[in-house]
Amino acid sequence: QARAQGNTGLDMLNSKFIINWSNDHRVTRNMMPFYMLKAKEAGIPVVTIDTRHTDSVSAMSTGSGDVPPWISVRPGMDAALQVAMANVIYRKGLHDEAFIKQYCFGFYPGDTVVSQSVLKDPVTGKAYAGQTFKVPTGQSFVEYLDELEAKNGGYNGVLQWASKLTGAPAAAIENLAIKFATSKPAYIYESYNG
């Protein structure tokens, strides 16, 4: 059975903004340097998030307005940056609520979904198909963001929390989130081995 893994690299040429996340494609990917070069030639802004200042940062990253070409994060702290970006996007109402409600189970408190899975519960043997599942109280992503704000003193506190963990400036995190959310369409190119 084939797995969907997202759009091809060529699709980045259709975007208005590109985030190159932890990927030095100039040394690790076959066609990506060509696609990124074409994106840069087309004037599509490119921001690289990486712990290292790589060849890709030097050759391909352009930045965009208040977003620098390179945002350096400490190793293993990408999730803090992503959560802070999600908080900015959610709090500013820049998320696609209709898409999330239709396709993303667990974002909102009280979300429910009727399973269409062909799998069975490994303990009981009961088919998952047709069962209704509900997000347990306190386990939705919105509740997580609310808790994060409560623990860190609100919206700006979350940005400062992420800045301390990642080493990236709070303003760069906020500006990156806003640019990503308002650029339609935007493209994230990530790699687990770059």
Side-chain angles (χ1 to χ4, degrees):
Q1 197 176 44
R3 289 182 175 183
Q5 295 186 0
N7 296 7
T8 67
L10 184 59
D11 196 40
M12 74 174 55
L13 298 176
N14 297 318
S15 65
K16 305 289 183 205
F17 181 65
I18 298 168
I19 297 176
N20 178 32
W21 205 297
S22 295
N23 183 32
D24 188 9
H25 58 266
R26 300 217 355 121
V27 296
T28 61
R29 297 286 188 247
N30 50 7
M31 289 301 294
M32 292 313 293
F34 175 75
Y35 298 150
M36 290 290 277
L37 178 61
K38 290 300 177 188
K40 183 179 177 181
E41 288 174 355
I44 301 169
V46 178
V47 172
T48 297
I49 299 167
D50 204 321
T51 58
R52 302 164 295 139
H53 193 278
T54 63
D55 287 347
S56 292
V57 172
S58 298
M60 303 295 181
S61 298
T62 61
S64 179
D66 293 336
V67 184
W70 174 47
I71 297 176
S72 176
V73 294
R74 292 186 179 105
M77 292 295 112
D78 298 60
L81 177 61
Q82 292 163 349
V83 167
M85 288 176 64
N87 194 58
V88 168
I89 292 167
Y90 176 68
R91 300 300 176 194
K92 291 191 173 287
L94 301 174
H95 58 294
D96 186 338
E97 187 171 344
F99 179 90
I100 291 170
K101 284 185 175 181
Q102 184 169 355
Y103 297 107
C104 304
F105 173 67
F107 189 84
Y108 294 105
D111 273 355
T112 60
V113 65
V114 177
S115 177
Q116 298 175 19
S117 175
V118 297
L119 301 176
K120 294 181 180 182
D121 184 306
V123 176
T124 66
K126 183 178 178 182
Y128 289 126
Q131 290 189 54
T132 299
F133 293 91
K134 182 177 180 179
V135 175
T137 301
Q139 298 297 307
S140 71
F141 192 67
V142 167
E143 290 166 302
Y144 169 70
L145 294 178
D146 290 345
E147 183 180 324
L148 194 62
E149 281 205 354
K151 285 182 178 178
N152 291 287
Y155 176 88
N156 288 325
V158 172
L159 288 170
Q160 292 303 320
W161 165 82
S163 179
K164 287 176 187 172
L165 289 174
T166 65
I173 296 169
E174 182 179 42
N175 293 336
L176 175 66
I178 293 168
K179 179 68 178 177
F180 173 70
T182 59
S183 299
K184 307 280 187 209
Y187 189 98
I188 295 180
Y189 184 71
E190 58 79 29
S191 175
Y192 293 109
N193 62 355

